[in-house]
Amino acid sequence: HSSRKLDLYIGSSGNINNNVSYKVLMSYKSYGNQYFFTNSKADSSKFTVLYDKAGVFSFDGGLFYDLHSAWRISANILYNAWKTDILAAAWHRPSFQSSLGIQYNLHRKIYFNAEMYYISGIQGINLENGHTVKLNNIADLSLKSEYRFSNSFSAFLELNNILSQKYQRYLYYQVKGFNVLAGLTYSF
């Protein structure tokens, strides 16, 4: 299992005015025995876990705009610079992630959410031949609606990969095209 040896961070969050808020965080984390998923050498359709000492410098930022009490627009970025001790790279850990979202709530009963996200800097390794593969950048769009019957019970509908992009989040694992997920949630 992973063990965090060091966790240093500095950041700020606050309000720019009544409608605009922000967060900014820089951190450095050091891990002993950090896990990284990669494809199995015996069967590339299965995963194996590799462990290494690792450190990651991160910059996390977000800007949020609240229009009245019903609308919120958010923009987030996350940059990670991994350094591993033995492994050639931090396998399947993205170096850059960003998202742009719009949320709307109707009378605190019906919630709508649209999110566009972008992920880049993912590397995988084929352990059968030792080749490093830089995975294509990912850009995708999802929509979600939720109806809250009460504070503890709700129903939801998600439309994922609306752009029906063909990409691999993990080497040799093609994501599903456009897909729909519906369900109920209950919390106690």
Side-chain angles (χ1 to χ4, degrees):
H1 76 292
S2 295
S3 60
R4 189 178 301 166
K5 302 291 186 187
L6 181 67
D7 189 352
L8 301 172
Y9 60 90
I10 185 168
S12 175
S13 64
N15 297 321
I16 296 172
N17 62 35
N18 288 339
N19 296 25
V20 180
S21 58
Y22 71 94
K23 71 169 182 176
V24 177
L25 176 70
M26 286 192 312
S27 66
Y28 177 78
K29 295 177 183 148
S30 175
Y31 297 93
N33 219 24
Q34 175 64 34
Y35 67 92
F36 299 95
F37 290 110
T38 190
N39 304 85
S40 171
K41 186 174 187 176
D43 182 356
S44 64
S45 69
K46 296 181 180 178
F47 282 111
T48 191
V49 181
L50 302 177
Y51 294 91
D52 196 359
K53 291 179 186 175
V56 60
F57 168 79
S58 298
F59 175 81
D60 188 1
L63 193 59
F64 314 96
Y65 178 71
D66 294 314
L67 180 62
H68 307 292
S69 62
W71 288 93
R72 174 173 250 214
I73 299 171
S74 59
N76 290 284
I77 62 166
L78 174 62
Y79 171 75
N80 289 314
W82 284 89
K83 181 169 179 6
T84 52
D85 189 39
I86 298 169
L87 298 175
W91 306 121
H92 294 111
R93 302 289 178 133
S95 60
F96 182 77
Q97 299 176 60
S98 64
S99 66
L100 181 61
I102 299 173
Q103 299 86 31
Y104 176 73
N105 79 65
L106 181 63
H107 304 297
R108 300 195 187 279
K109 278 294 215 191
I110 303 173
Y111 293 80
F112 299 97
N113 183 32
E115 183 178 32
M116 179 69 155
Y117 61 90
Y118 179 80
I119 302 172
S120 66
I122 302 171
Q123 292 185 73
I125 186 168
N126 180 327
L127 292 178
E128 292 176 21
N129 60 25
H131 291 133
T132 298
V133 179
K134 182 183 181 311
L135 300 181
N136 291 334
N137 297 341
I138 300 167
D140 212 340
L141 175 67
S142 63
L143 299 174
K144 180 180 180 181
S145 64
E146 177 184 15
Y147 181 80
R148 293 189 181 166
F149 298 99
S150 68
N151 286 337
S152 58
F153 183 60
S154 68
F156 68 89
L157 177 67
E158 291 182 12
L159 306 176
N160 298 305
N161 196 1
I162 291 173
L163 303 176
S164 200
Q165 297 293 304
K166 296 182 187 324
Y167 60 85
Q168 297 177 30
R169 173 58 182 86
Y170 294 93
L171 186 60
Y172 307 127
Y173 283 84
Q174 191 77 28
V175 299
K176 300 286 183 196
F178 172 74
N179 62 84
V180 177
L181 178 65
L184 301 171
T185 62
Y186 180 76
S187 57
F188 48 93

Coordinates of all heavy atoms in Angstrom, one line a residue, residues 4 7 10 22 32 44 50 56 61-62 66 72 93 99-100 107 130 134 143 147-148 162 170 176:
R4 N 2.1 8.1 2.4 CA 2.5 9.5 2.2 C 3.6 9.9 3.2 O 3.3 9.8 4.4 CB 1.3 10.4 2.3 CG 1.6 11.8 1.8 CD 0.4 12.7 1.9 NE -0.7 12.2 1.1 CZ -1.9 12.6 1.1 NH1 -2.3 13.6 2.0 NH2 -2.8 12.1 0.3
D7 N 3.8 16.0 3.0 CA 2.6 16.7 2.3 C 2.8 18.2 2.7 O 2.4 18.6 3.8 CB 1.3 16.1 2.8 CG 0.1 16.6 2.0 OD1 0.3 17.5 1.2 OD2 -1.0 16.1 2.2
I10 N 0.6 25.1 0.1 CA 0.2 26.5 0.4 C -0.9 26.9 -0.6 O -0.9 26.5 -1.7 CB 1.4 27.5 0.3 CG1 1.1 28.9 0.7 CG2 2.0 27.4 -1.1 CD1 2.3 29.8 0.9
Y22 N -12.6 31.9 -5.8 CA -11.5 31.3 -6.4 C -10.8 30.3 -5.4 O -11.1 30.4 -4.2 CB -10.4 32.3 -6.8 CG -9.8 32.9 -5.6 CD1 -8.6 32.4 -5.1 CD2 -10.3 34.0 -5.0 CE1 -7.9 33.0 -4.0 CE2 -9.7 34.6 -3.9 CZ -8.5 34.1 -3.4 OH -7.9 34.6 -2.3
G32 N 6.1 6.9 -0.3 CA 6.9 5.6 -0.4 C 5.9 4.6 -0.9 O 4.7 4.5 -0.5
S44 N -2.0 -8.2 -21.8 CA -2.1 -6.8 -21.8 C -3.6 -6.3 -21.6 O -3.8 -5.1 -21.5 CB -1.5 -6.2 -23.1 OG -2.3 -6.7 -24.2
L50 N 2.4 -1.6 -10.3 CA 3.8 -1.4 -10.0 C 3.9 -0.3 -8.9 O 3.2 0.6 -8.8 CB 4.5 -0.9 -11.2 CG 4.5 -1.8 -12.5 CD1 5.2 -1.1 -13.6 CD2 5.1 -3.1 -12.2
V56 N 5.3 14.3 -6.2 CA 4.5 15.0 -7.2 C 4.3 16.5 -6.7 O 4.0 16.8 -5.6 CB 3.1 14.4 -7.4 CG1 2.3 14.3 -6.1 CG2 2.3 15.1 -8.5
G61 N -6.1 25.1 -9.4 CA -6.7 26.4 -9.4 C -8.2 26.3 -9.9 O -8.5 25.4 -10.7
G62 N -9.0 27.1 -9.4 CA -10.4 27.1 -9.8 C -11.0 28.5 -9.7 O -10.6 29.3 -8.8
D66 N -21.1 32.5 -9.4 CA -22.4 32.2 -8.9 C -23.4 33.4 -9.4 O -23.2 34.5 -9.0 CB -22.5 32.1 -7.4 CG -21.7 30.9 -6.9 OD1 -21.9 29.8 -7.5 OD2 -21.0 31.1 -5.9
R72 N -24.3 28.3 -11.5 CA -22.9 28.4 -11.1 C -22.1 28.0 -12.3 O -22.4 26.9 -13.0 CB -22.6 27.5 -10.0 CG -21.1 27.4 -9.7 CD -20.8 26.7 -8.4 NE -20.3 27.6 -7.5 CZ -19.4 27.4 -6.6 NH1 -18.9 26.2 -6.4 NH2 -19.0 28.3 -5.7
R93 N -0.9 8.4 -15.0 CA -1.2 9.6 -14.2 C -1.1 10.8 -15.1 O 0.0 11.1 -15.6 CB -0.2 9.8 -13.0 CG -0.1 8.6 -12.0 CD -1.4 8.5 -11.2 NE -1.3 7.3 -10.3 CZ -1.6 7.4 -9.1 NH1 -2.0 8.5 -8.5 NH2 -1.5 6.3 -8.4
S99 N -11.4 21.5 -16.5 CA -12.8 21.3 -16.7 C -13.5 22.6 -16.7 O -13.0 23.6 -16.1 CB -13.4 20.4 -15.6 OG -13.4 21.0 -14.4
L100 N -14.6 22.7 -17.4 CA -15.5 23.8 -17.5 C -16.9 23.3 -17.2 O -17.3 22.4 -18.0 CB -15.4 24.6 -18.8 CG -16.2 25.8 -19.0 CD1 -15.8 26.9 -18.0 CD2 -16.1 26.4 -20.4
H107 N -35.2 25.3 -7.8 CA -35.9 25.2 -6.5 C -35.3 24.1 -5.6 O -36.0 23.5 -4.8 CB -37.4 24.9 -6.7 CG -38.1 25.9 -7.6 ND1 -38.2 27.2 -7.2 CD2 -38.7 25.7 -8.8 CE1 -38.9 27.9 -8.2 NE2 -39.1 27.0 -9.2
G130 N 8.3 -3.4 -23.7 CA 9.0 -2.3 -23.1 C 8.8 -0.9 -23.7 O 9.5 0.0 -23.3
K134 N 2.6 7.3 -25.4 CA 1.9 8.5 -25.0 C 0.5 8.5 -25.5 O 0.3 8.4 -26.7 CB 2.6 9.8 -25.5 CG 2.0 11.1 -25.0 CD 2.7 12.3 -25.6 CE 2.1 13.6 -25.1 NZ 0.7 13.7 -25.2
L143 N -23.4 15.4 -19.4 CA -24.6 16.1 -18.9 C -25.2 15.2 -17.8 O -25.2 13.9 -17.9 CB -25.7 16.3 -19.9 CG -25.3 17.2 -21.1 CD1 -26.4 17.2 -22.1 CD2 -24.9 18.6 -20.6
Y147 N -33.1 14.5 -9.7 CA -34.3 15.0 -9.0 C -34.2 14.5 -7.5 O -34.0 13.3 -7.3 CB -35.6 14.5 -9.6 CG -36.8 14.9 -8.9 CD1 -37.3 16.2 -9.1 CD2 -37.4 14.1 -8.0 CE1 -38.4 16.7 -8.5 CE2 -38.5 14.6 -7.3 CZ -39.0 15.9 -7.5 OH -40.1 16.3 -6.9
R148 N -34.2 15.4 -6.6 CA -34.1 15.1 -5.2 C -35.5 15.0 -4.5 O -36.2 16.0 -4.4 CB -33.3 16.1 -4.4 CG -31.8 16.0 -4.9 CD -30.9 16.8 -4.1 NE -29.6 16.7 -4.6 CZ -28.6 17.5 -4.3 NH1 -28.8 18.5 -3.4 NH2 -27.4 17.4 -4.8
I162 N -20.7 12.4 -24.6 CA -21.7 12.9 -25.6 C -21.1 13.1 -27.0 O -21.7 13.0 -28.0 CB -22.4 14.2 -25.1 CG1 -23.3 13.8 -23.9 CG2 -23.2 14.9 -26.2 CD1 -23.8 15.0 -23.2
Y170 N -6.7 4.4 -20.2 CA -5.6 3.5 -19.9 C -5.2 2.8 -21.2 O -6.1 2.5 -22.0 CB -6.0 2.5 -18.8 CG -6.3 3.1 -17.5 CD1 -7.6 3.5 -17.2 CD2 -5.3 3.3 -16.6 CE1 -7.9 4.1 -15.9 CE2 -5.5 4.0 -15.4 CZ -6.8 4.4 -15.1 OH -7.1 5.0 -13.9
K176 N -16.0 3.5 -23.5 CA -17.3 3.3 -24.2 C -17.6 4.6 -24.9 O -17.3 5.7 -24.5 CB -18.4 3.1 -23.1 CG -18.2 1.9 -22.3 CD -18.4 0.6 -23.1 CE -18.3 -0.6 -22.2 NZ -18.1 -1.8 -23.0

